[in-house]
Structure formats: C-alpha cells, structure tokens
Amino acid sequence: MHSKPSLQTAAAVQFLTVDEESAGQRLDNFLIRVLKGVPKTHIYRIIRSGEVRRNKGRVSADDRVNPGDVLRIPPIRLSERAEEKAAQPAPAREFPVVFEDEAFLAIHKPAGVAVHGGSGVSFGVIEQMRQARPQARLLELVHRLDRETSGLLLIAKKKSALKALQDQFRERETGKTYLALVKGVWPARLKVLDQPLHKYLLPDGERRVRVTGKDDPDGMKSVSLVKVVQAVPAPGGLDTAYAQGFSLLEVTIKTGRTHQIRVHLASAGHPIVGDDKYGDFELNRQLTRLGFKRMFLHAWRLKLAHPVTGQALELQTELPEELSKWMLAGKSD
C-alpha cells in the first residue's frame, strides 16, 4: 500500500512502502513527489546524510526504488511558510503538445519554467499539468531539461511507458539534438567534444560542472557531437568586441550529463549566448540591453522508439519566436 506523508505527521519518523506505480523511479524523484512542501535541498541533505534508509540500508539519490521497498524518512519539520506553500496547489496549465497517445506525450517546454518544483521553485511543468489533467491516472517526467532551456520534454502516462522510455535514455538509445547559438565563429573541424565532466557545489549549495581530466575518478564520460548550421551576424548596437558574430550549432548528445552542452561549448571557448552560469557575462549584459533575455539553448529534435510498439519516432519542435526573431534581426543589420 502506498501512503503519502502528511504535513501534520511529518515531525515523526515515517515508514513508506513503495507501490507498484512507483517502481523504477529514482529515490530523489519519488521523495520530491510524496514529500510535498519539503524543499528539494532538504530532501537531498537527508539522503546524503544517511537519514533516509531503504530496507534498513543506506541509499543514494539516483538509486531506483522497487515495489515493496520500505523507506525510513526522518522527522521533518516545515516552516509555516513552507506549509502555506504546500497547501496552495500549482496553477493548472497545459503546454503546447508535439505528440500524444495513450502511453506518453511530448510537449514544448518554454524557457524560464522549471520541469518540477524545488530549489526555490514552488512548482514546475509536471505539477501544473497534473492540476490541468486531474483525470490522468499517471503523469511522470521521463527526463529533465534545465529551467533556462526550451524545447521537447517527454511525460509518461503509463508506468510501463515511463520505465521503457527511461531505459532508452539510460542506455543512450535516444538521439537528442539541441540548437545552440554560441559566441564567435565555431571551427568547422571541431565536431566531437569528448571531455569528462565533474560536478561540484558552490559555497551556497548551487550545482556547477566543469571539464576535468581523463584520470579524474569522479569525472563522468561525456560526449557531444557538434555541427555548424550557419553563421549569425552580430546585431547592431553590440560592442565591436563581438563583431565576429555568432554560430548556430546542432549539438547531439551521446550522454545526458548535467549542464553537458553548456560546459562543453564554453570550455571550447564558445559559450552559449545568454548562459548565466558558464557564459560571457559582459556579452549577456549587452544583449539584455538589446532585448535578448534568455539562454539560446533549445531541445530541438528527439529520436526514440515508441515505448509500447517499438516504432521509430522522430519528434521535433522549432525555435520559439523569441529566438528565431532575434536571429533574423541579427541578419538584417
């Protein structure tokens, strides 16, 4: 039986038994879903500290839960503000649908919207869609996109579809291609970026990633394939330091690491336009003055096998207007 903890009993130790519907879900995602109102940072802290136990043993955030697993959750006390926030459901919202059938749907996620609540965000795409579709038996994120990234996002409507799609992502059987606009002229000969990535935390707890050496035991193999689509002239009004303009790239990722494309492109000396973590901050400041206010990274195309029929699918969603319009403006100057 699946029990959802309530805020009233959260001050005591809880024992949750994982149900069939949650089988195969990552521990962190499972707890984020059932511990409504608990900040994501707090959930990760109690996992890292070993206070969350599975069948009396330690467990990691990325371990997958199984039906019948018994999870021990330590006492959790929420602030009044967190309790108030938890009591207010996310506003219902639908997003543009690229593909939908009885197994899953693919939507176009706009930039600036988180895929789920946590880390200072009270709700995201998945919470809003659950409110908009109260009749849906199941709506679960198949994968993630950075909040600043727009484009294709898959949501499962069946447990079997969720597992089949996540298996494809984990086994690198999907083809994920992004469009990115980067600073400068990308060298056409540079087609493969194969540098391990190392995750670390800033003093304030925020996540960052950097390129590391092949001998780093904590480095994760990361491969990005790059193809130049076109050169994009700098718009009028930009400092002469950026007169060489920009390059529009197709980037296909063979691994799905945190911030992979952003870090790989920046480490090659061509950061993504508008990237507030790894970008050229002076360039971003000047572009903001010209009205460009987001990161130019878009999840454009996704090749996968249908989770039920096995049929090959190719899903695609074009650049949103705020990106395509800006490129055209750059060309006309």
Side-chain angles (χ1 to χ4, degrees):
M1 189 176 118
H2 177 56
S3 61
K4 291 187 179 180
S6 67
L7 296 174
Q8 288 72 28
T9 62
V13 170
Q14 300 173 82
F15 292 92
L16 303 179
T17 301
V18 177
D19 62 347
E20 291 286 343
E21 283 293 297
S22 301
Q25 192 168 29
R26 282 174 52 125
L27 174 70
D28 52 358
N29 292 340
F30 175 77
L31 292 181
I32 286 164
R33 179 165 60 86
V34 299
L35 297 178
K36 289 183 169 42
V38 179
K40 199 163 83 169
T41 50
H42 186 70
I43 288 174
Y44 282 109
R45 188 185 65 73
I46 61 175
I47 295 172
R48 278 197 307 269
S49 68
E51 294 174 85
V52 174
R53 311 290 272 193
R54 176 172 63 177
N55 306 327
K56 300 184 178 178
R58 288 186 75 117
V59 64
S60 299
D62 57 356
D63 286 348
R64 295 184 183 274
V65 297
N66 302 303
D69 280 350
V70 177
L71 302 176
R72 177 197 182 274
I73 312 299
I76 295 170
R77 290 177 177 80
L78 296 179
S79 67
E80 285 184 23
R81 185 176 168 211
E83 289 189 18
E84 285 172 18
K85 199 157 64 172
Q88 296 171 353
R93 180 179 177 184
E94 286 278 4
F95 296 85
V97 173
V98 178
F99 173 90
E100 182 170 8
D101 65 7
E102 72 287 345
F104 78 104
L105 71 154
I107 65 165
H108 176 114
K109 184 192 85 69
V113 181
V115 294
H116 59 65
S119 293
V121 180
S122 55
F123 58 83
V125 168
I126 195 65
E127 291 87 1
Q128 291 185 290
M129 288 202 65
R130 285 173 183 155
Q131 288 294 325
R133 299 183 176 207
Q135 75 288 356
R137 284 188 60 248
L138 177 85
L139 289 175
E140 291 287 352
L141 291 167
V142 173
H143 61 116
R144 305 180 189 193
L145 282 182
D146 287 350
R147 184 177 179 182
E148 304 89 346
T149 304
S150 57
L152 287 167
L153 180 68
L154 302 190
I155 296 170
K157 297 166 69 175
K158 286 184 174 180
K159 191 68 208 174
S160 57
L162 176 65
K163 184 178 186 309
L165 289 167
Q166 287 183 332
D167 285 347
Q168 287 186 58
F169 276 85
R170 190 164 52 250
E171 300 301 322
R172 304 172 190 168
E173 294 169 356
T174 56
K176 292 183 284 185
T177 302
Y178 292 69
L179 294 175
L181 190 72
V182 299
K183 170 187 161 186
V185 179
W186 184 271
R189 58 176 174 71
L190 188 54
K191 297 177 179 178
V192 181
L193 302 176
D194 180 8
Q195 299 125 320
L197 297 178
H198 179 102
K199 282 198 282 193
Y200 63 99
L201 294 178
L202 295 177
D204 63 1
E206 194 174 347
R207 239 180 355 180
R208 284 289 190 278
V209 180
R210 60 177 170 79
V211 164
T212 188
K214 305 275 185 187
D215 56 347
D216 183 345
D218 294 321
M220 296 173 293
K221 183 173 176 60
S222 308
V223 181
S224 304
L225 308 181
V226 182
K227 175 186 172 186
V228 178
V229 179
Q230 66 185 65
V232 178
L238 262 197
D239 190 289
T240 52
Y242 305 104
Q244 62 180 322
F246 309 99
S247 300
L248 181 66
L249 308 177
E250 282 182 22
V251 185
T252 300
I253 55 173
K254 294 299 184 182
T255 51
R257 308 302 184 196
T258 301
H259 299 167
Q260 176 176 325
I261 296 176
R262 300 165 69 173
V263 175
H264 268 173
L265 299 183
S267 71
H270 299 274
I272 296 176
V273 167
D275 188 340
D276 65 355
K277 289 183 172 67
Y278 308 100
D280 180 322
F281 303 131
E282 175 55 25
L283 170 61
N284 293 347
R285 189 185 67 76
Q286 293 196 37
L287 288 172
T288 299
R289 186 170 45 80
L290 296 175
F292 185 80
K293 298 177 180 176
R294 60 158 289 193
M295 179 172 65
F296 201 123
L297 182 60
H298 177 72
W300 173 51
R301 188 174 64 207
L302 182 61
K303 296 179 181 178
L304 68 154
H306 191 280
V308 176
T309 67
Q311 177 189 356
L313 295 177
E314 181 173 315
L315 308 175
Q316 190 167 306
T317 179
E318 297 307 323
L319 286 173
E321 186 186 5
E322 75 268 14
L323 297 185
S324 57
K325 182 176 70 176
W326 187 83
M327 284 178 56
L328 291 170
K331 282 184 180 180
S332 64
D333 286 329

